[in-house]
Every structure is written in C-alpha cells, then in structure tokens.
Amino acid sequence: MFLNETQEEVRSTTRSFVNDVVRPAAEALDREERFPAEIYDEMGKLGLFGIAVPEELGGPGFDTLTYAVVMEELSRGYACVADQCGLVELISTLLVRHGTPEQRKMLPDVMAMKRKVAYCITEPEAGTDVSGIRTTAVRDGDGWVLNGGKIWIHNAPVADTGFVLARTDKEAGNRGMSIFIVDLHAKGVERGPKEHKMGQRASQVGALDFQDVRLGPDALLGEMNRGFHMMLSVLDKGRVGIAALAVGIAQAGLEAAVDYAGTRKQFCKHISEFQGVQWLLADMAKDIEAARLLVYSAAMKIDRGLDATRACSMAKCFAGDIAVARTADAVQVFGGSGYIRGFEVERLYRDAKITQIYEGTNQIQRMIIARELLRKGASA
Amino acid sequence: MKILVPVKRVVDYNVRVRVRPDGSGVELSNVKMSMNPFDEIALEEAVRLKEKGVATEVVVVSIGVPQVKDTLRTALAMGADRTILVHATDDVNQDIEPLAIAKILAKIVDAEKPQLVIAGKQAIDNDMNATGQMLAAALGWGQGTYASAVEIDEGAVLVTREVDGGLQTLRLKLPAVVTTDLRLNQPRYVALPAIMKARKKTIEEIDLAALGVDSAPRLTVLSTVEPAKRQAGVKVHSVDELISKLKNEAGVL
C-alpha cells in the first residue's frame, strides 16, 4: 500500500532470492559461524549491495525506502546477510558523498563484495560515546601514521579495506576526528581473533590493531577533522536499516509461529484454536506492522529531505525492542521445540537481541527522542 | 533471429486462491499477481538464446488489462528488448479464452515477423494448455510442446520433449512455436539495477479493437467450487478388517 510498483518489484525479487537461497542456509551458517561468501557473491551480481549508489556510479540508485524494504526482506531470511548489506550501504554512501573520483573507483568492487569492507569506529573506551576514541593519525610528510585499536568490528577477520575513525586533533573534541581508508593487508595491521557471539553468528566480528600503519595522501576520506560529522550524516540511514532488519527478524518469527500453530496438535486440536496462542500471534502481528510503518515513515522522511532524526531513533528503538519481545513469543508458541537448536525461532530470538544494542543502544535512542522532543516540541 | 514470447499475468503461485462467493470464478481483486511461471521459463530461454548470440531481439507480448504493464516491466527487467501490451479489457475478471489469444498472437506475429515463438505450456490459473498449439495451427507453423531443451540448428529448432517413457527430440523447421515445460531452465532473479533500467523503457500499447479479432467467449463457466475437504481417516482394528474394507468399500482388491 505504501510502496510503489518499483518498490514492490524490488521486494518480490529480493524475497524470491531470500526464500530460495538465504533462508534455507541460515541454520547451518549460524551453527558453523561461517562467512557466506557464495551468497554475497550472488547478491553482488543481483545488485543487492549499494542500493542507493547512483546509476552513473554503477548502482541501482534507489531511495531509502527501497533500501529499507530490501533490508527487511534479507533479514527475514537471515539477519547477518542484511547486516552485511547495511554495512556496504553505509560505506558506499560515504564514498559517494565524500570520496574523491579516485577513491570512488573502488565502488564496483565493494558492491560486488570482491573488496570486503569494515567500518571501524568502536574502541574499548569508546562505544556509544564516540568522542572517547584514542586511535590517532599523525601527520607524516604528505601522509599519516595510524596507531590504536578497534574492537567489535564487523568483518574485521575478513575485510580488505577499513574505514577508520581516528583522532587528528587532540584538542578539538568532535571536530578533531577524521575517517581514513586503510588497507587492512598493510604492514602494522593486526587482526584479533573472531568473537563468538550470542546471535548473528555468521557475521565475522573482531578486533583490529594498528601499529605505525603508514597512510598515503589519498587515504583521507572527505574533509580533515570532519570525520565525526560524516559519521553522523549516515547515522539516520543506518538506524532505518537496522530497524528494518529487526522487523525482518520478527516477521520471520511470526511466519514460523503461524505455521506451527496451525499444524501442532494438543488436546486433539491445533494449538491455533486456543485463545492464549491466538493472542500471542495477534500481538506479534500488530507490533511488527507498527514497527514496519515506523520504518517506512522514517525512510520517507529521509527521502523527502525532512528532519528524520527523531523518526529514525523511534523506528530503531521500537523495532529492536519488539524484535526481542516478539521472537520470544515465537519461541513460546513453539514450546519446548522453540528452545532447541535447529529450530528457526530459537536462532531468531538470539539474532534479535543485538538490534537493541548496535547502531546506537536503545537507551541512546530514547535519549535522542527525548532530546528532540524537548528541543523541537512534541508535535509530530 | 527475433523471438516472440507471450506472457500472462496470473495470481501469484504463493497466493491461497479463494473462490468468489457467487461461484463465478476466483477472487482476483487485491490479490498479488505475477508472471505465469511457465512464461518466465519461456522468457528466460529466449534471453539465454540472445545472450548466446543466437537471437538478436526478444519481444514480449501480453494481452489483457492495463495492469499487465507491471508484468511487462518485469519482463523488461529480465532481459526483454521490447514489450507490447494488447489492451483487451479493463475488467480483471474477464478471462480471454485460448482461441482468442491465439488469434490475437497470430496478428502480432504477422506484424513482428519473429522466427520463433516461445510460450509457457500452460498458465497456472486455468491450466488450459492450448494457446501454443492453437497459435501454431493458426500460423500453419510446426510446434514443439513441453520442451525440456531447446537448440537452434541451421534454420531449424531442436526441441526435446518430456513424454511418457522418456525424451523425444523433434526437429522443426523455423519459424516454429515452442512451449516450455518446468525443467527447461531455472529463471534468473531480476537484478536491482535492471529493475531501475526497465522503468525507463516504454511499453507499446495496441488496442484490441485495432486488430479486428473476434475475442468473444465460446465457453460458459457453470460454477467454480473449492476442492473437497479431505475426510478424516478410519482406524482399523485388524488386518482382516483392513482387507475386508479394501475389498468391499474401496474396491481396490
């Protein structure tokens, strides 16, 4: 109803790919914690990375709403696959907006997943509060020397290129950080071991350590000392993406729960005939629909150039919270089976949890919503 | 070589089809529609022949309501060069019978002069399995139905057909009509950039009246009913009882 004919077609083509290729692979990928290179290869060919990259730069040039639709559909199959799409989307958006023509030349490889990227922000002392980063890039001739360490970096164990936020002016606070494009195969880059996570286990996450890594003059992305602001500029879109991802997880849980309730028999009838189970399903469906509409609304605000900060935080926070609550309900509908490895809903519940944490914790989202309310007034 | 691929917009195969309360047919309003899966296979085969350099142009034609344009956009995204919509009606519930479709397609073939028509063997809505055969008859062309392999060979097309007891290969002189079976190929997923590019291509529109074809229905639908619900099974207490039931009630022994 909210989507135009093109967006519907994108949804339907993504869905058939996900039904055939992604969703059947998710259980094994979770169990083996494996990077699904073969799926990413195919997604690259289908143009499922870099959704908003303009046509003249080799992308499909879709809007944020279409991106959100793709994220939900991918995540309905497997959240890790959606999160990889989200990561490439942020990196390619940064390259399109701030990259030099030379730097943008890597776009086709990034979108084909021939060059795997990592977005390197978080440090031991700088999680939600990015201003605490200690990684530094110090001027050295016409380039820089990079020192410091990053943790919990998505793709760190496998990535070729890092987009690294580093301090370039110690005195200037948020106005003293810059983003550098770093070859992760270069001398001085050490990768930590892969983290073993609760959920989204096919996403390879780990630490990166930089010791006197030499950066050339073309390593700086965008303007010097504007890294923090560049990062903020893609934050709204990132939040819409993660909100859509959370909706996709919850939607998969709803589908599984409805199917199961219609086939599982207890006391000589399908459990879907018990009102207690019906109410679980109804609550799941209405929260998921509400979250989806918040996602659409936030995405449309971005596409229309409106102030989208509050909408994006509301979508991310609500979608993450209901993804956890409603996948827990899906486990409940499955009863004991839902607690067993190998049942989709067990994985969905684990995969959902991180959506309350990454891309800004839901506590931070609430702070942002409140701050926006108090600053700009309560009217919608 | 030019290939013409006729496609039909049908209820999506994932939709649970419901009978209209008055029994006149199935519910078609507010239902997800998509390209008939056998037609997707036909289009995929045509596009592959083009990619191999065997065909030079793939033209897709569809006949029906203006909403068929959505299906034609998908065809463009899958690799069709051009598409034609024959605007036959504005009523989504009006089904145009195979004979009329075949006559309309024959007119399009006259105008487009393709060397090969590749069509789905049947549409998954009415399962008529007639249009391709009727079109071949109307044109006086050879026909190769239920194709599981298609190969172009010096002015002819080799069509492997799935028949009872094995595979049969026919050699048809071109021009010819081929209809596709399920195992001919696996249609591609449409790439996102192709969807965007397809938006910019135009869809040629022809009014049915301009073709001078009599499309009046020859068939009358008497009733449409849901399939009968499966009856619950019966538990038997002994082998003797089972044998007796198989003999006397089921009549299979």
Side-chain angles (χ1 to χ4, degrees), chain B residues 7-249:
Chain B
V7 301
K8 185 175 186 183
R9 178 176 180 263
V10 298
V11 174
D12 188 89
Y13 69 95
N14 285 310
V15 171
R16 256 184 242 170
V17 174
R18 284 170 301 134
V19 172
R20 276 205 300 270
D22 65 0
S24 62
V26 300
E27 197 56 70
L28 292 177
S29 32
N30 294 320
V31 169
K32 182 174 160 53
M33 307 287 283
S34 40
M35 191 189 294
N36 174 37
F38 289 107
D39 301 347
E40 271 185 25
I41 294 172
L43 175 56
E44 176 67 31
E45 195 65 18
V47 171
R48 287 187 192 182
L49 286 170
K50 192 188 167 195
E51 285 167 350
K52 275 192 240 164
V54 177
T56 48
E57 190 181 23
V58 176
V59 181
V60 171
V61 58
S62 193
I63 300 160
V65 291
Q67 292 91 309
V68 163
K69 279 187 193 168
D70 294 356
T71 310
L72 291 175
R73 292 244 173 261
T74 306
L76 287 167
M78 280 180 71
D81 296 296
R82 285 196 295 123
T83 55
I84 302 166
L85 161 66
V86 178
H87 181 185
T89 173
D90 287 321
D91 176 8
V92 290
N93 291 317
Q94 188 191 336
D95 193 55
I96 303 158
E97 291 169 10
L99 183 60
I101 296 287
K103 289 180 189 168
I104 296 166
L105 289 176
K107 293 275 184 187
I108 300 294
V109 167
D110 284 346
E112 290 287 334
K113 306 210 172 0
Q115 285 291 96
L116 186 62
V117 174
I118 308 182
K121 70 168 181 181
Q122 69 196 66
I124 60 165
D125 48 7
N126 290 337
D127 284 335
M128 294 276 202
N129 191 339
T131 303
Q133 293 89 328
M134 287 178 173
L135 175 63
L139 294 168
W141 291 7
Q143 58 176 288
T145 50
Y146 315 115
S148 63
V150 172
E151 202 185 320
I152 305 294
D153 178 40
E154 292 177 18
V157 55
L158 298 177
V159 180
T160 304
R161 311 175 66 231
E162 298 189 337
V163 294
D164 288 347
L167 298 175
Q168 176 193 53
T169 303
L170 300 178
R171 185 185 171 88
L172 307 171
K173 213 170 78 187
L174 292 174
V177 176
V178 170
T179 73
T180 59
D181 215 328
L182 207 56
R183 278 165 290 275
L184 178 58
N185 61 48
Q186 176 88 42
R188 68 196 59 197
Y189 305 107
V190 177
L192 267 53
I195 294 176
M196 210 55 167
K197 285 194 187 88
R199 275 175 67 88
K200 290 171 193 141
K201 296 189 186 168
T202 51
I203 293 170
E204 187 186 337
E205 266 188 74
I206 299 174
D207 212 52
L208 176 60
L211 294 175
V213 172
D214 169 18
S215 66
R218 264 65 169 174
L219 307 174
T220 312
V221 174
L222 300 179
S223 69
T224 310
V225 292
E226 300 266 358
K229 287 233 159 47
R230 231 183 106 192
Q231 299 292 314
V234 187
K235 272 187 189 161
V236 293
H237 299 289
S238 66
V239 175
D240 288 343
E241 193 188 343
L242 174 68
I243 291 171
S244 135
K245 276 187 185 296
L246 288 174
K247 210 179 254 175
N248 304 321
E249 289 175 31

Side-chain angles (χ1 to χ4, degrees), chain A residues 63-99:
Chain A
D63 55 14
T64 311
L65 181 54
T66 311
Y67 164 63
V69 166
V70 169
M71 285 293 279
E72 182 191 332
E73 290 302 326
L74 291 176
S75 180
R76 201 183 129 268
Y78 191 21
C80 290
V81 169
D83 201 29
Q84 189 72 231
C85 173
L87 171 59
V88 175
E89 191 68 23
L90 287 194
I91 294 294
S92 55
T93 304
L94 283 172
L95 275 169
V96 168
R97 285 197 199 154
H98 305 288

Side-chain angles (χ1 to χ4, degrees), chain A residues 85-164:
Chain A
C85 173
L87 171 59
V88 175
E89 191 68 23
L90 287 194
I91 294 294
S92 55
T93 304
L94 283 172
L95 275 169
V96 168
R97 285 197 199 154
H98 305 288
T100 62
E102 196 57 34
Q103 289 168 336
R104 283 177 181 174
K105 280 185 185 160
M106 74 171 76
L107 269 171
D109 277 356
V110 170
M111 288 156 62
M113 279 298 271
K114 284 181 187 142
R115 185 196 286 249
K116 297 182 274 297
V117 292
Y119 193 37
C120 315
I121 311 285
T122 303
E123 297 183 9
E125 304 301 326
T128 300
D129 181 10
V130 175
S131 64
I133 64 160
R134 291 175 182 177
T135 296
T136 56
V138 176
R139 262 290 182 199
D140 180 56
D142 59 355
W144 291 267
V145 174
L146 185 68
N147 275 291
K150 299 284 179 182
I151 57 164
W152 300 337
I153 303 304
H154 186 188
N155 275 358
V158 294
D160 303 299
T161 306
F163 287 67
V164 180

